[in-house]
Amino acid sequence: MSPKPQLDPRHGIRYGGDYNPEQWPEEVWAEDIELMREAGVNLVSVGIFSWALLEPREGEYDFGWLDRLFDLLHAAGIGISLGTPTASPPAWFFHRYPEARVVNRDGTTLGFGSRGMASPSSPAYRRASVSIASALAERYGDHPALALWHVHNEYGAPVSECYSDQSTQAFRAWLQRRYETLDALNAAWGTAFWGQRYEDWQHVSAPAVSASVVNPAQRLDFARYTSDALLECFILERDAIRAVCPNVPITTNFMAGTCESVDLWKWADEVDVVANDHYLVAEDARSHVGLALSADLTRSIAGGKPWLLLEHSTSAVNWQPRNVAKRRGELARNAMSHLGRGADAIMFFQWRASRSGAEKFHSAMLPHAGTNSRIWSEVRALGADLGRLASLTGTRVQAEAAILWDWQSFWAQDLEWRPSEDLSHRERINACYDRMWRDKVAVDFAHPEADLSSYRLVVAPASYLLTQAAADNLRRYVEGGGTLVVSYFSAIVDENDAVHPGGFVAPLRDVLGLTVEEFLPLRSGETVHLDQPGLTGDVWADAIRLEGAEVVMAYEDGPAAGGPAITRHQLGDGSAWYLSTRLTVTDLGVVFERVYQDAGTAVPVDLPEELEVIRRSGHVVAINHGDKPFDLDVDGTDLLSGQNARTHEVAAGGIRVISLHER
Ligand code: GAL
């Protein structure tokens, strides 16, 4: 296979944002471009929502304004990431093809006037998307300013599932490909339960709202089908572009870690370069940890290769309950964390704040306040700093630990009627990730069936759905010398959301050296004490029967009093830990300290928790999220200040990007 086209690394780190000049008179464009140059912008994404302007009537194109824009940007040396506008079909499209509108799970047909694609299985939508993508490729495929194709926008948002008649038919066809026979479907879905057996494919439908809880295996398959249908839409556009324009990289902006309706492990191979959008949870005072998680997940989806951050915000967004503005310096701290975790492009939504429409209160690189503003000066300063960091372009991050991540398991666990509403896969992943973030352990995310042999430590905080193949993979990993940590409510069901034969954790029984006889969820607010001073758990406990594991900590009270709470099992050259209750991030530290010893993971003891330290190839990126300065003993040159030293002070809120002398 020939290598996939990539962005030209000679341009260094790409910097810019979404640029929507069609919202402004053309006189403003010259000022935009002048200011872009002042800020060091070298890439902008255009055309993402321009379908109605580019194809005002079906089959009639108007490229005049975009032609002029391409030439202006090119003359200024600014590259173009060209969007295909298929996330927002024009009014004429929905008028002409009303059957292409998305139908909700409760049967509501969604109207026009907002944005959001049509039904992913609509033949008319697919045809129209391919037509506009092909027309753009023919028009601009050879333009020297074209650097990247940005297909669609954020597949899966704002809606993903569609329950229209056309979607139902497509779901049936998808099921026929997956199961071939109705007997196989009936077996996989367990339709003997509640008398749901099917005798005719035409009777199988999308899992719309029903009188009670709908068959969970049917819902899980519908989630898989939805992700696949969206991916087919991407592939159709991509192939139409590639046929005309084979040498320019094609991507789409993922929302790794914030939108759970697409299985990005399946998407990753289909793009030429992985790209991501990330927005902070403004309410969370430690939202930089969530940012780091999304960046690490994006790098993992990219198989460790550099990736592009296509959107984040310069300050507040407009769609959260309280849109907290970024504090002074936070813009750069956020950008540098993405960069340290493997991003080769740092881009924002959007270049110039919109005066009209739903997003007028969203921050931008050029805010409503204009250039005499804090945001503009921070945008300029970041552009200048990124210009000093070209040596990071194309380099990689090595992680020694991995957290297992599987969208299919999340979809299954999020269905109704689980043992406790306090169970949250995301909460446990966040807690384990936060623990390792504070300990400065570099983390990748991995699919449970992926090759794990390069990691010293693998953590499975939320592997509710775990296939036998994945369990075998984990067994091989531990036997080969790995350290595995498994949290409660893992390895419960197979790929059809059916409890594993042999009961809870059955496929990992010999790995963990135990079996779980019964779940013992706790009441709201109830805590249980462990026999380690000060350690308590909440939410969950298990009735565990030991089959070879040693007890590391036991319950002193609660429903499992006297029984094991935390266990360790030696298997082959490795060890497997089991955590049967919910511990806080701080308390997880007590357990992880011992886990790190098993794994041989070195944890710096003298650095404060709020100092983020990332190593990207021969560079150390240090970001101080705390309010005191700290000294970092790293022998090298800080590329931002030019200072060459063995110890670098990282000011409160400050950043260092140190090129190491010893690599
Ligand atoms: C993204 C979207 C952008 C813009 C942004 C606002 O999800 O791709 O078009 O809406 O959110 O935060």
Side-chain angles (χ1 to χ4, degrees):
M1 219 172 63
S2 51
K4 293 174 169 180
Q6 296 296 312
L7 283 172
D8 186 343
R10 287 172 306 182
H11 294 279
I13 302 295
R14 303 293 183 133
Y15 184 50
D18 283 15
Y19 180 34
N20 298 304
E22 65 270 39
Q23 296 175 13
W24 298 89
E26 290 198 21
E27 303 84 79
V28 177
W29 299 3
E31 187 199 34
D32 281 333
I33 288 171
E34 202 184 304
L35 290 174
M36 283 177 190
R37 287 172 63 97
E38 189 181 316
V41 165
N42 55 20
L43 185 69
V44 289
S45 301
V46 302
I48 299 172
F49 296 106
S50 309
W51 197 344
L53 291 186
L54 293 170
E55 191 180 357
R57 282 161 296 280
E58 188 167 13
E60 275 179 41
Y61 300 106
D62 176 4
F63 292 121
W65 67 273
L66 193 52
D67 289 352
R68 292 191 290 283
L69 185 74
F70 257 77
D71 292 343
L72 279 175
L73 287 165
H74 182 52
I78 297 169
I80 295 175
S81 146
L82 182 56
T84 67
T86 54
S88 197
W92 61 254
F93 174 81
F94 289 107
H95 183 75
R96 173 100 197 261
Y97 305 103
E99 75 284 3
R101 290 188 290 166
V102 168
V103 177
N104 268 348
R105 188 160 181 251
D106 66 6
T108 308
T109 302
L110 302 186
F112 185 72
S114 164
R115 68 166 164 192
M117 67 185 288
S119 167
S121 297
S122 152
Y125 171 70
R126 289 180 173 205
R127 264 195 320 273
S129 312
V130 165
S131 296
I132 184 74
S134 303
L136 285 165
E138 272 153 25
R139 186 86 182 179
Y140 300 106
D142 289 335
H143 199 290
L146 180 68
L148 180 71
W149 285 98
H150 175 304
V151 170
H152 197 87
N153 190 61
E154 296 187 337
Y155 280 99
V159 288
S160 51
E161 291 189 336
C162 173
Y163 291 77
S164 67
D165 289 346
Q166 290 184 333
S167 291
T168 300
Q169 283 167 29
F171 179 45
R172 252 178 232 139
W174 184 93
L175 290 168
Q176 281 173 314
R177 289 195 295 277
R178 182 173 172 92
Y179 293 111
E180 291 179 5
T181 67
L182 268 182
D183 279 349
L185 177 136
N186 279 310
W189 285 10
T191 55
F193 180 80
W194 280 358
Q196 292 169 1
R197 189 177 167 76
Y198 294 101
E199 296 295 344
D200 186 332
W201 283 105
Q202 292 308 310
H203 300 168
V204 181
S205 62
V209 172
S210 186
S212 181
V213 165
V214 172
N215 186 317
Q218 181 182 0
R219 294 203 60 190
L220 179 55
D221 271 346
F222 194 68
R224 291 181 176 124
Y225 146 79
T226 299
S227 175
D228 287 356
L230 292 166
L231 180 55
E232 280 170 14
C233 291
F234 169 76
I235 290 173
L236 283 169
E237 285 195 44
R238 180 202 64 192
D239 290 353
I241 294 167
R242 187 164 281 164
V244 182
C245 176
N247 299 322
V248 175
I250 305 174
T251 192
T252 182
N253 45 344
F254 295 156
M255 289 169 286
T258 54
C259 167
E260 291 187 350
S261 56
V262 284
D263 181 348
L264 294 178
W265 295 127
K266 286 183 95 173
W267 286 60
D269 281 347
E270 304 294 346
V271 296
D272 292 333
V273 53
V274 164
N276 198 45
D277 293 351
H278 182 265
Y279 291 93
L280 299 179
V281 178
E283 205 66 55
D284 178 2
R286 300 188 71 250
S287 58
H288 48 272
V289 180
L291 177 158
L293 186 157
S294 174
D296 286 346
L297 177 59
T298 308
R299 183 188 64 248
S300 306
I301 292 161
K305 291 197 278 291
W307 51 278
L308 313 175
L309 178 70
L310 289 187
E311 287 182 29
H312 68 322
S313 66
T314 56
S315 187
V317 297
N318 65 301
W319 41 266
Q320 297 187 12
R322 287 170 207 85
N323 296 298
V324 179
K326 290 192 182 179
R327 302 291 189 254
R328 184 171 293 280
E330 197 174 351
L331 180 156
R333 288 194 291 280
N334 290 171
M336 292 300 182
S337 180
H338 285 294
L339 183 91
R341 294 171 193 280
D344 268 5
I346 299 295
M347 315 262 293
F348 293 97
F349 176 84
Q350 61 178 335
W351 163 252
R352 185 189 275 271
S354 302
R355 285 191 54 224
S356 308
E359 296 187 319
K360 55 182 165 292
F361 299 129
H362 197 291
S363 60
M365 298 173 82
L366 185 57
H368 291 297
T371 52
N372 190 9
S373 62
R374 174 182 71 86
I375 290 182
W376 176 252
S377 57
E378 292 194 28
V379 163
R380 276 186 57 181
L382 177 62
D385 278 349
L386 293 175
R388 299 180 181 102
L389 302 181
S391 63
L392 278 94
T393 318
T395 61
R396 293 193 176 216
V397 175
Q398 291 299 334
E400 54 180 342
I403 292 180
L404 298 187
W405 183 285
D406 181 5
W407 280 275
Q408 305 204 9
S409 177
F410 305 160
W411 297 334
Q413 187 177 325
D414 280 345
L415 295 171
E416 302 106 322
W417 288 6
R418 298 314 186 206
S420 167
E421 68 173 17
D422 299 329
L423 282 169
S424 159
H425 54 82
R426 191 51 199 267
E427 184 280 330
R428 270 304 78 183
I429 288 178
N430 287 353
C432 291
Y433 180 84
D434 194 357
R435 183 65 262 157
M436 293 194 273
W437 186 95
R438 294 180 198 207
D439 294 335
K440 300 168 207 354
V441 173
V443 170
D444 278 345
F445 289 86
H447 188 274
E449 293 178 24
D451 178 6
L452 302 169
S453 56
S454 65
Y455 300 111
R456 289 172 182 275
L457 171 61
V458 170
V459 183
S463 296
Y464 161 71
L465 183 164
L466 193 80
T467 62
Q468 188 61 51
D472 294 343
N473 189 38
L474 294 177
R475 181 179 308 103
R476 279 192 300 276
Y477 168 72
V478 176
E479 283 171 347
T483 301
L484 174 69
V485 178
V486 177
S487 188
Y488 53 87
F489 209 49
S490 287
I492 306 300
V493 297
D494 65 11
E495 56 272 38
N496 300 316
D497 197 44
V499 173
H500 280 292
F504 309 139
V505 308
L508 289 181
R509 198 165 160 175
D510 55 339
V511 181
L512 297 172
L514 56 79
T515 186
V516 169
E517 279 186 28
E518 195 180 359
F519 300 146
L520 303 172
L522 305 182
R523 295 196 172 87
S524 173
E526 185 181 355
T527 54
V528 285
H529 290 91
L530 309 192
D531 61 357
Q532 173 98 13
L535 277 202
T536 56
D538 67 357
V539 171
W540 196 260
D542 283 315
I544 291 172
R545 193 173 62 235
L546 295 173
E547 294 178 340
E550 58 183 289
V551 179
V552 178
M553 290 178 209
Y555 288 107
E556 283 193 330
D557 52 18
I566 292 168
T567 63
R568 176 184 178 279
H569 186 225
Q570 186 78 38
L571 180 72
D573 295 331
S575 61
W577 293 67
Y578 185 68
L579 279 50
S580 71
T581 190
R582 188 173 82 154
L583 299 178
T584 62
V585 177
T586 306
D587 288 354
L588 274 175
V590 179
V591 180
F592 271 61
E593 208 181 301
R594 298 183 56 182
V595 165
Y596 294 145
Q597 279 169 18
D598 263 11
T601 307
V603 177
V605 283
D606 50 345
L607 293 178
E609 278 193 351
E610 290 314 303
L611 184 66
E612 181 175 357
V613 181
I614 320 155
R615 192 167 169 149
R616 182 169 175 185
S617 193
H619 304 82
V620 168
V621 179
I623 304 169
N624 189 349
H625 298 277
D627 53 12
K628 289 190 210 70
F630 287 106
D631 285 340
L632 189 64
D633 291 331
V634 170
D635 186 7
T637 305
D638 175 23
L639 298 174
L640 300 178
S641 65
Q643 187 193 58
N644 185 354
R646 284 172 191 277
T647 299
H648 296 263
E649 187 190 84
V650 192
I655 303 164
R656 299 278 187 185
V657 182
I658 303 162
S659 171
L660 298 173
H661 289 160
E662 293 291 325
R663 296 192 174 191

